[in-house]
């Protein structure tokens, strides 16, 4: 009897479910059906092409809906995190004062609070808001620079490519996801509480460049730069991932219109290189940027000195450029001495951003922007890693003439390498340079003065930003190692000379050139 009743109940439930399915199907068909009275739309809807178009339209609609939901979830997570943090800070204060209401002790000891405290402790220990004293340059964790398409990194494993498109899916998803998180934050309702005046909606096309690095015992920091409301306005956003959810550290507007850069170049002879430098300076600094001062510290008083003076003034007279200083030193060349004199020669009252540069350096307007954004008085200095060019006569040996310099500035494995052992090109404010003690004036000639300055900053509380720069190039030139150099410096000079000539593979082809030619002759003879 019971069994018969159970079967009847199951049958009734099945009929009800079947009826509901039929109703849902009818509702779906009515929702997808074109407007009544349009036989042409009905025919299109019933065809295969119309059906695929309808599916594609629905897919786009659903994607927009999903993106909207993800944005709302991110905003809610951020708001919940901030409210939870505020709640527990209030509970901490109440407990300290002994006025914590009964019944809230368990809330005060929740797992969420312990997680937040752990994340906050990792954030406070990481080098995010202020610098950390480091024992030497070997303890520095360099940043990776990245755009939406490429990653520029120093540690590239077996591939040794100076730039790459993220091949590993987890790496690609991480960077794209971080940019998306930043966009959600910038466009979110909470953003008005920060130092940003929100005037528009940020999109992926507004993203310029990011820096990221991972401290293994703390987490990953991301410094992202977005376009602002004018060519000189930028929005900087710092995110931190403490081996958990991404946390917003800070976001602020940066107006670079009043940030003047004093480019200081020490010089001894080398008129051809100086002429090339002036051409680059005129194009980038005068015609494009317009917020620079050039200080040239020249050693020696021979005929070439007059040529440099005449050439620079004739070049600047065409553009009516007046922000130029030429300092004469009648003594033996010393790079550190020249930069130190140039930095201290600044006579204006306001603080100024210094860019220590060599005459064989080529830079872009984007690099000047990076220089302004990655240096801050009393907080951080910028030591970019430049891309060093190989010998063009080796790289372009299969061509009659090497291409123009602009065409040679390509970041590839075959054209050059990241000069991660050099610390000479740097952006820092004059006040920080003076407070740190400047260069070691006892160092003469070539090398080591930049390393000593770098170590001074590492031993201070200033944050050192060290990352590859895609807008800073060292142009190849014939290097001569002077006989009067001490053995340690002479060895460094020879090693630099060897590294700057060609890649490992290209040097191998030159070394085994005769074997390769003999092999080709044998193959040609066999084919004949």
């Amino acid at each position: 009897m019971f069994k018969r009743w159970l079967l009847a109940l199951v049958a009734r439930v099945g009929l009800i479910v079947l009826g509901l399915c039929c109703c849902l199907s009818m509702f779906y068909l009515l929702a997808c059906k074109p407007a009544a009275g349009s036989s042409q739309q009905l025919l299109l809807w019933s065809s295969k092409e119309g059906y695929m178009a309808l599916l594609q339209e629905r897919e786009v609609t659903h994607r927009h809906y999903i993106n909207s939901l993800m944005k709302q979830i991110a905003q809610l997570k951020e708001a919940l995190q901030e409210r939870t943090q505020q709640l527990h800070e209030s509970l901490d204060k109440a407990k300290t004062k002994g006025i914590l209401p009964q019944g809230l002790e368990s809330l005060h000891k929740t797992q969420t609070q312990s997680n937040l405290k752990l994340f906050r402790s990792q954030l406070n220990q990481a080098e995010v808001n202020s610098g950390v004293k480091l024992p030497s340059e070997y303890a520095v964790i360099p940043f990776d620079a990245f755009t939406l398409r490429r990653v520029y990194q120093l540690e590239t494993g077996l591939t040794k490519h100076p730039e790459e498109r993220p091949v590993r899916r987890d790496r690609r998803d991480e960077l794209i996801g971080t940019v998306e998180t930043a966009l959600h934050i910038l466009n979110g309702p909470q953003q008005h509480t920060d130092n940003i005046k929100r005037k528009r909606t940020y999109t992926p096309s507004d993203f310029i460049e990011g820096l990221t690095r991972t401290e293994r015992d703390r987490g990953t920091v991301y410094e992202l730069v977005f376009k602002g409301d004018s060519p000189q306005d930028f929005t900087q956003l710092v995110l931190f991932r403490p081996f958990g959810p991404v946390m917003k550290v800070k976001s602020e507007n940066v107006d670079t219109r009043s940030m003047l850069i004093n480019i200081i170049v020490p010089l001894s002879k080398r008129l051809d290189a100086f002429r090339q430098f002036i051409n680059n300076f005129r194009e980038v600094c005068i015609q494009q940027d317009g917020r620079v001062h050039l200080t040239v510290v020249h050693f020696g008083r021979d005929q070439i000195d007059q040529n440099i003076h005449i050439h620079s003034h004739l070049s600047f007279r065409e553009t009516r450029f007046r922000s130029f200083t030429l300092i004469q030193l009648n003594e033996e060349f010393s790079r550190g001495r020249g930069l130190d004199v140039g930095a201290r020669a600044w006579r204006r009252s306001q603080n100024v951003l210094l860019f220590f540069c060599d005459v064989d350096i080529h830079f872009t307007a984007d690099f000047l922007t990076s220089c302004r954004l990655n240096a801050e008085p009393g907080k951080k200095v910028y030591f970019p890693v430049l891309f060093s060019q190989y010998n063009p006569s080796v790289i372009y040996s299969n061509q009659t003439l090497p291409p123009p310099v602009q065409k040679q500035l390509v970041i590839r494995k075959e054209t050059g390498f990241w000069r991660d052992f050099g610390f000479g090109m740097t952006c820092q404010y004059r006040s920080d340079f003076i407070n740190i003690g400047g260069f070691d004036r006892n160092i003469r000639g070539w090398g080591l003065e930049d390393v000593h300055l770098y170590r001074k900053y590492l031993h201070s509380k200033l944050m050192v930003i060290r990352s590859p720069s895609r807008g800073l190039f060292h142009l190849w030139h014939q290097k001569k190692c002077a006989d009067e150099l001490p053995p340690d410096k002479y060895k460094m000079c020879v090693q630099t000379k060897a590294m700057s000539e060609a890649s490992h593979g290209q040097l191998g082809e030159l070394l085994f050139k005769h074997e390769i030619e003999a092999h080709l002759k044998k193959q040609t003879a066999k084919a004949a």
Side-chain angles (χ1 to χ4, degrees), residues 94-375:
K95 184 179 180 181
T96 303
K97 296 179 180 180
I99 56 175
L100 184 65
Q102 292 184 354
L104 295 182
E105 292 84 357
S106 60
L107 180 61
H108 184 262
K109 299 177 181 179
T110 58
Q111 183 66 28
T112 304
Q113 186 200 20
S114 62
N115 289 339
L116 284 174
K117 283 189 174 181
L118 173 63
F119 295 157
R120 289 290 174 183
S121 66
Q122 289 176 331
L123 173 61
N124 294 333
Q125 295 174 19
E127 192 177 14
V128 177
N129 292 313
S130 61
V132 176
K133 292 184 178 181
L134 299 174
S136 71
E137 62 270 25
Y138 303 105
V140 175
I141 303 175
F143 285 86
D144 291 345
F146 68 94
T147 63
L148 289 177
R149 294 178 176 271
R150 289 178 172 82
V151 177
Y152 305 86
Q153 53 188 358
L154 301 182
E155 299 178 2
T156 52
L158 295 175
T159 59
K160 297 297 181 185
H161 287 290
E163 70 155 7
E164 67 174 7
R165 296 171 182 262
V167 178
R168 283 176 39 187
R169 185 168 182 176
D170 58 341
R171 177 65 161 166
R172 183 171 65 250
D173 292 346
E174 173 204 352
L175 298 179
I176 293 176
T178 302
V179 174
E180 290 178 349
T181 301
L183 291 173
H184 292 329
I185 292 174
L186 293 176
N187 295 324
Q190 302 294 326
Q191 195 56 36
H192 67 276
T193 59
D194 289 332
N195 297 325
I196 292 182
K197 299 176 182 178
R198 184 182 169 194
K199 298 180 181 179
R200 59 186 175 82
T201 299
Y202 290 87
T203 64
S205 61
D206 294 321
F207 176 64
I208 299 175
E209 188 180 50
L211 300 178
T212 179
R213 69 176 177 183
T214 300
E215 299 180 43
R216 292 172 181 167
D217 57 341
R218 295 180 178 91
T220 304
V221 63
Y222 305 91
E223 298 187 10
L224 309 176
V225 178
F226 293 84
K227 296 177 184 176
D229 296 312
S230 73
Q232 289 80 35
D233 271 343
F234 302 91
T235 296
Q236 280 186 309
L237 183 67
V238 179
L239 302 177
F240 183 65
R241 189 193 301 273
F243 299 120
V246 176
M247 303 170 61
K248 183 181 71 175
V249 179
K250 65 178 179 178
S251 55
E252 57 186 353
N253 262 351
V254 181
D255 187 353
T256 63
R257 279 174 289 189
S258 60
M259 293 184 182
L260 181 72
I261 299 180
N262 184 10
I263 302 178
I264 304 177
V265 181
L267 185 64
S268 178
K269 303 178 180 179
R270 303 194 62 188
L271 181 60
D272 291 337
F274 182 71
R275 183 182 294 111
Q276 191 173 51
F277 174 85
I278 289 296
N279 291 336
N280 175 227
F281 180 89
R282 181 169 50 188
E283 178 183 352
V284 173
C285 299
I286 301 177
Q287 298 175 359
Q288 299 180 37
D289 190 89
R291 293 160 291 156
V292 293
H293 181 92
L294 177 62
T295 301
V296 176
V297 182
H298 180 257
F299 290 80
R301 292 184 177 276
D302 50 14
Q303 187 65 34
I304 200 170
D305 170 29
Q306 300 177 8
N307 293 336
I308 289 176
H309 188 276
I310 293 172
H311 181 77
S312 58
H313 279 77
L314 285 178
S315 299
F316 295 153
R317 188 180 304 169
E318 301 172 2
T319 56
R320 298 182 180 180
F321 181 74
R322 296 290 181 269
S323 193
F324 172 64
T325 302
L326 179 63
I327 301 175
Q328 302 278 356
L329 294 179
N330 189 19
E331 55 189 74
E332 179 188 357
F333 176 78
S334 169
R335 183 178 184 274
R337 162 76 171 153
L339 294 173
D340 198 271
V341 169
R344 297 176 188 274
W346 185 255
R347 292 293 178 261
R348 303 184 192 180
S349 58
Q350 75 271 27
N351 199 6
V352 67
L353 178 58
L354 306 177
F355 170 36
F356 292 157
C357 186
D358 289 343
V359 72
D360 47 21
I361 296 299
H362 188 284
F363 54 87
T364 65
D366 289 338
F367 168 75
L368 296 180
T369 297
S370 299
C371 184
R372 293 183 175 99
L373 295 177
N374 290 316

